[in-house]
């Protein structure tokens, strides 16, 4: 069995953003040389997510509105998380949007369902953060 590991780094200039990282994961898959197996992609921070959905700007806008409804950033004083920190909402948004995805690799390709793409969800940006890509297979 072959194994491949890479960390992707992101520094989002805003507090929140959704970034399509499918091209980066495809590049990892190409580098790995693995044709049949599994790829795991996970955020290495507890205020960021990796998830799969549609690359459609209206949907990303809707996510932003929905996440602000269930875990609003303001008022920061409404949260108890490490009094003085301002990112309690980011931890909750991460919890809802998830930590990782696993995608099958078939014939050297990401074996997606219709319209599936991989996204990095940033909820407390403006600093360097990492995503792990681990690929195993043959
Ligand atoms: Zn925190």
């Amino acid at each position: 069995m072959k194994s491949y590991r890479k960390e992707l780094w992101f520094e989002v200039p805003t507090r929140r953003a959704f970034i399509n990282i499918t091209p980066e994961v495809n590049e990892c898959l190409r580098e790995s040389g693995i044709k049949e197996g599994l790829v795991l992609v996970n955020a290495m921070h507890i205020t960021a997510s990796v998830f799969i959905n549609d690359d459609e700007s209206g949907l990303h806008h809707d996510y932003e509105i929905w996440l602000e409804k269930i875990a609003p950033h303001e008022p920061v004083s409404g949260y108890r998380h490490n009094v003085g920190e301002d990112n309690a909402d980011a931890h909750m948004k991460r919890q809802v949007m998830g930590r990782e995805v696993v995608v099958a690799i078939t014939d050297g390709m990401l074996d997606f369902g219709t319209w599936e793409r991989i996204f990095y969800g940033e909820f407390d940006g403006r600093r360097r953060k990492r995503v792990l890509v681990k690929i195993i297979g043959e």
Side-chain angles (χ1 to χ4, degrees), residues 46-47 81-82 85-91 124 127:
I46 52 179
T47 54
H81 169 56
N82 291 351
E85 265 198 59
D86 69 350
N87 69 0
D89 68 303
H91 290 273
D124 187 24
R127 55 196 167 99

Side-chain angles (χ1 to χ4, degrees), residues 22 56 61 88 115 119 128 134:
T22 312
E56 197 276 307
H61 171 81
W115 299 112
F119 292 89
R128 276 167 59 74
K134 181 86 181 192

Side-chain angles (χ1 to χ4, degrees), residues 3-11 21 24-25 27-29 31-32 39-45 50 99 120 128-135:
S3 168
Y4 171 98
R5 181 187 190 278
K6 189 170 190 179
E7 291 177 7
L8 306 175
W9 285 86
F10 298 94
E11 184 164 359
I21 62 169
E24 285 89 340
V25 176
E27 180 59 22
C28 291
L29 181 54
E31 277 177 21
S32 76
V39 56
L40 165 77
V41 187
N42 69 267
M44 298 183 87
H45 300 263
V50 172
R99 171 182 182 265
Y120 174 67
R128 276 167 59 74
K129 290 163 90 168
R130 289 174 296 162
V131 166
L132 176 67
V133 180
K134 181 86 181 192
I135 308 175

Side-chain angles (χ1 to χ4, degrees), residues 11-73:
E11 184 164 359
V12 174
T14 51
R15 182 178 289 275
R16 289 188 292 278
F18 297 123
I19 300 169
N20 183 346
I21 62 169
T22 312
E24 285 89 340
V25 176
N26 264 321
E27 180 59 22
C28 291
L29 181 54
R30 197 192 58 74
E31 277 177 21
S32 76
I34 292 169
K35 302 291 180 204
E36 295 291 327
L38 294 172
V39 56
L40 165 77
V41 187
N42 69 267
M44 298 183 87
H45 300 263
I46 52 179
T47 54
S49 288
V50 172
F51 63 95
I52 290 181
N53 218 299
D54 194 358
D55 190 9
E56 197 276 307
S57 61
L59 179 65
H60 297 174
H61 171 81
D62 295 341
Y63 277 146
E64 166 69 14
I65 303 292
W66 176 63
L67 288 167
E68 272 297 292
K69 269 185 204 157
I70 58 176
H73 177 64

Side-chain angles (χ1 to χ4, degrees), residues 69-84:
K69 269 185 204 157
I70 58 176
H73 177 64
E74 300 279 359
V76 169
S77 62
Y79 295 101
R80 276 199 204 172
H81 169 56
N82 291 351
V83 173

